[in-house]
Amino acid sequence: MNDLLKISIEAAINAGKKILEVYENEFEVETKTDNSPLTEADKRSHHAIKDALEPLNIDLLSEEGKLLSYEERKNWKKFWLIDPLDGTKEFIKRNGEFTVNIALVENGYPVAGVVHVPVTGKTYYGSAEAGSFAFTYDPHSSASIEDYINSASKLPDAQAPAVYTVVASRSHNTPETENFIEEKRKQHGQVECISSGSSIKLCLVAEGKANVYPRLAPTMEWDTAAGHAVAKFAGCNVYNSETGKELEYNKENLLNPWFVVERN
């Protein structure tokens, strides 16, 4: 697992470099069949990750790759689940709140995950064996990936907020989320709300900077699996808001149910 985690961290950082090559220049925006945006950065990141992980001979499912039918993937016991650029809307807005997500899923649940924020270099990772950690990658440093891993901070690495804090989506807030926040106000009195894009929201709960992240709006499996791993192995619960059960992956329908990420 340590080798797989190291390779996936390196793949995420290299994909982030490909994304920044596009981000720092003018770029065009295409529209996919589901009306979501697509840029050259999504494509470059996908190919960088695919090239790094394919030699490992583990099945791979990527948002920007070929979407395989359930018949083709239903018997997968282990596979990579990837979002090469999570937060394309944030990328287009140039607010920096987008990520590279790489997760390793076994028997329907993430066992390892990496979330890399290309603009800041912040890199979160977690595994069932080691727990969750974070470091900030500096492209100008001569440090190796092993050096970063060896000096990474164990999560949670922030003190719990003095005021109960809810993190919500910057681009996808809903009436249901507002109702959720109102319920928390009844329970905790004062509630602070912070916003962020992409899978950074799961990582803010993992870090200890927020108590809860309700996602009462649509997401896909590749949006959440890596952040799910980081949050889970930092001591958080990632659960279906209706059933209370942990989110599962490689379902016939890759759309996630509404869910909540909450620190124990």
Side-chain angles (χ1 to χ4, degrees):
M1 175 61 77
N2 287 341
D3 286 343
L4 293 179
L5 196 55
K6 181 191 158 198
I7 291 166
S8 59
I9 291 169
E10 200 156 23
I13 289 171
N14 288 335
K17 293 175 182 176
K18 298 294 184 185
I19 289 170
L20 291 179
E21 288 172 5
V22 179
Y23 188 66
E24 291 162 358
N25 295 285
E26 292 301 313
F27 55 83
E28 293 183 0
V29 180
E30 303 172 34
T31 302
K32 296 194 285 190
T33 54
D34 63 356
N35 289 322
S36 63
L38 176 70
T39 70
E40 179 63 24
D42 297 80
K43 299 174 189 175
R44 290 190 192 182
S45 178
H46 165 75
H47 288 297
I49 296 168
K50 185 180 175 189
D51 289 348
L53 300 185
E54 268 194 338
L56 301 171
N57 293 316
I58 297 172
D59 290 308
L60 186 150
L61 184 64
S62 168
E63 179 181 11
E64 305 310 339
K66 181 187 174 189
L67 291 186
L68 303 172
S69 70
Y70 186 59
E71 279 301 309
E72 292 174 275
R73 57 183 172 79
K74 68 179 181 181
N75 294 319
W76 288 0
K77 300 299 182 192
K78 178 193 288 190
F79 71 103
W80 296 108
L81 183 54
I82 298 157
D83 192 341
L85 202 174
D86 181 32
T88 302
K89 289 181 180 177
E90 316 306 331
F91 177 89
I92 293 166
K93 293 175 191 172
R94 294 185 185 273
N95 68 13
E97 294 178 355
F98 51 86
T99 58
V100 178
N101 297 343
I102 301 176
L104 185 64
V105 176
E106 282 191 27
N107 300 314
Y109 299 99
V111 294
V114 181
V115 175
H116 174 63
V117 188
V119 168
T120 64
K122 191 70 180 270
T123 307
Y124 305 88
Y125 66 94
S127 74
E129 295 173 359
S132 291
F133 298 82
F135 62 80
T136 300
Y137 174 76
D138 178 0
H140 305 295
S141 168
S142 60
S144 66
I145 296 299
E146 288 95 336
D147 293 334
Y148 281 109
I149 290 171
N150 290 336
S151 62
S153 301
K154 190 165 179 61
L155 300 181
D157 65 354
Q159 286 189 329
V163 176
Y164 191 89
T165 300
V166 180
V167 60
S169 172
R170 193 175 296 289
S171 298
H172 301 94
N173 217 347
T174 64
E176 290 84 1
T177 305
E178 294 300 330
N179 292 339
F180 180 96
I181 293 169
E182 192 54 42
E183 285 300 314
K184 292 299 180 185
R185 284 197 180 98
K186 291 176 185 176
Q187 292 174 31
H188 300 280
Q190 188 180 355
V191 169
E192 183 175 341
C193 296
I194 57 176
S195 295
S196 182
S198 72
S199 57
I200 294 170
K201 296 182 289 294
L202 291 96
C203 296
L204 289 173
V205 182
E207 281 185 285
K209 292 179 179 176
N211 299 88
V212 67
Y213 162 41
R215 181 57 183 218
L216 310 181
T219 55
M220 300 299 291
E221 289 190 4
W222 44 69
D223 294 321
T224 58
H228 181 161
V230 172
K232 178 179 180 178
F233 302 124
C236 305
N237 293 321
V238 182
Y239 60 89
N240 181 319
S241 64
E242 194 171 293
T243 66
K245 294 181 178 178
E246 185 177 359
L247 280 195
E248 294 184 53
Y249 295 85
N250 202 28
K251 306 183 305 299
E252 184 169 0
N253 183 347
L254 294 169
L255 186 70
N256 284 324
W258 291 0
F259 66 90
V260 176
V261 183
E262 193 163 25
R263 177 149 295 287
N264 291 333

